[in-house]
Amino acid sequence: MGYHLSLYKFLDGEPAEPDLDVVRAVLSPVRAGQEKDDDATEYWIRAADGSEVEIGVFAEFISVVRPQVGDVWKIIIELVDRLRAGILIPDGTFLCPEDMRAHLPEGMESSSVFVPAVTLAAFERAAGPFMDPLT
């Protein structure tokens, strides 16, 4: 797959910096191919079934590049959930927890799908034709 996703959390209409402690807690145990680095901003992740994804951590968002079909999606969704973030899908839809509604930038609510929690099933419904079957 050549697509990518972006993970965002908004506070008071502005992108919030990702919580690096949460990022490390979720991604470090499944990091592949590189020496462990507590200050890492780039991760190559490999799930137990061998599926992989590149993840980059930036000041205002997290980039998820070329996720493969498989259990790696469980890791991505766990990261989104633990960060209380949302997922910007390639078609421009923003899937996010309901409690982020009040924090979105002006005008973003109309292109957002709100759910009680971002789950794999909610993501699959929102992503529709842009994603292959993920499991």
Side-chain angles (χ1 to χ4, degrees):
M1 286 261 143
Y3 64 87
H4 75 276
L5 307 167
S6 298
L7 313 181
Y8 290 92
K9 181 173 182 173
F10 293 100
L11 294 173
D12 300 322
E14 298 293 328
E17 187 171 343
D19 183 332
L20 297 180
D21 290 334
V22 171
V23 171
R24 282 190 288 273
V26 173
L27 300 183
S28 290
V30 291
R31 190 166 186 199
Q34 296 180 19
E35 192 172 309
K36 307 299 184 228
D37 178 1
D38 287 341
D39 295 323
T41 57
E42 294 182 16
Y43 294 82
W44 185 259
I45 302 305
R46 183 175 298 124
D49 69 350
S51 59
E52 298 180 337
V53 65
E54 270 181 76
I55 296 179
V57 181
F58 300 92
E60 297 181 340
F61 71 100
I62 295 175
S63 175
V64 178
V65 182
R66 293 184 298 278
Q68 296 177 347
V69 173
D71 287 346
V72 74
W73 283 98
K74 293 176 184 174
I75 297 165
I76 295 166
I77 296 301
E78 178 186 356
L79 180 62
V80 172
D81 181 59
R82 298 229 354 233
L83 289 170
R84 296 298 297 159
I87 304 173
L88 184 60
I89 298 168
D91 71 352
T93 301
F94 187 63
L95 174 68
C96 65
E98 177 63 45
D99 61 3
M100 194 183 299
R101 183 187 299 262
H103 293 282
L104 292 178
E106 188 173 325
M108 196 167 171
E109 187 173 345
S110 64
S111 62
S112 297
V113 173
F114 300 96
V115 292
V118 177
T119 63
L120 187 55
F123 175 73
E124 288 174 328
R125 281 190 304 275
F130 287 91
M131 306 295 156
D132 286 338
L134 304 178
T135 55

